[in-house]
Amino acid sequence: MKVATAAAAIKRSITRFRPWDLVMLGTSIVITVSSFILVYTGNTKDLQVVIEGTGQSYIYPLSINETIPVQGPLGTTIVVIHHGNVHVEDSPCNNKLCIAMGEISLPGQWIACLPNQVFVRIIGTSAKDELDGSTY
């Protein structure tokens, strides 16, 4: 008996829709989908390097050649952008793991110098449809 009353309530709520309700619902769906496409596809075809230090943030195109000193609590970390690659050239940290991470060049890759609180990452969409790794 309760199932029949629930079905009747659903039927009543569906029949309460007016034409303008459907227009508003359709408009809302179109706006939501359009916003999603604009935000998540983006217009950036060039890759960008985001460098974050203590209280500072820099954004550079990956296509330039630049040496950037980034201040951290231990001292200055030197980040180099050269020929479409980014690497940490020097850092005042003891273990130098950020230097050992080598060069990065694809979106989503990153380098971190945790002791000096410096984080380097690449954002954007790649023009090339490359894999950054594979499994066998």
Side-chain angles (χ1 to χ4, degrees):
M1 185 123 177
K2 290 185 179 184
V3 174
T5 57
I10 292 172
K11 186 176 180 182
R12 271 182 279 155
S13 66
I14 290 175
T15 57
R16 288 185 190 164
F17 279 117
R18 296 183 192 123
W20 285 109
D21 293 338
L22 296 175
V23 168
M24 291 302 293
L25 180 65
T27 304
S28 299
I29 290 172
V30 168
I31 290 172
T32 302
V33 169
S34 300
S35 300
F36 180 81
I37 290 170
L38 286 173
V39 168
Y40 289 106
T41 58
N43 293 332
T44 59
K45 293 193 168 97
D46 293 329
L47 297 178
Q48 296 179 335
V49 179
V50 178
I51 304 169
E52 297 170 340
T54 53
Q56 53 195 358
S57 183
Y58 308 99
I59 298 177
Y60 294 95
L62 188 61
S63 58
I64 66 167
N65 295 328
E66 187 82 27
T67 300
I68 302 110
V70 182
Q71 226 19 60
L74 300 177
T76 304
T77 297
I78 306 297
V79 178
V80 176
I81 306 171
H82 188 65
H83 292 298
N85 295 313
V86 181
H87 69 277
V88 174
E89 187 169 285
D90 190 33
S91 185
C93 58
N94 291 332
N95 54 14
K96 309 285 185 193
L97 289 177
C98 51
I99 297 171
M101 290 180 78
E103 295 183 334
I104 59 173
S105 61
L106 298 174
Q109 291 181 323
W110 54 271
I111 299 172
C113 181
L114 296 179
N116 204 28
Q117 299 176 5
V118 175
F119 187 69
V120 180
R121 63 190 166 112
I122 298 178
I123 60 171
T125 55
S126 178
K128 303 175 265 180
D129 194 16
E130 295 181 0
L131 293 174
D132 62 349
S134 62
T135 57
Y136 183 68

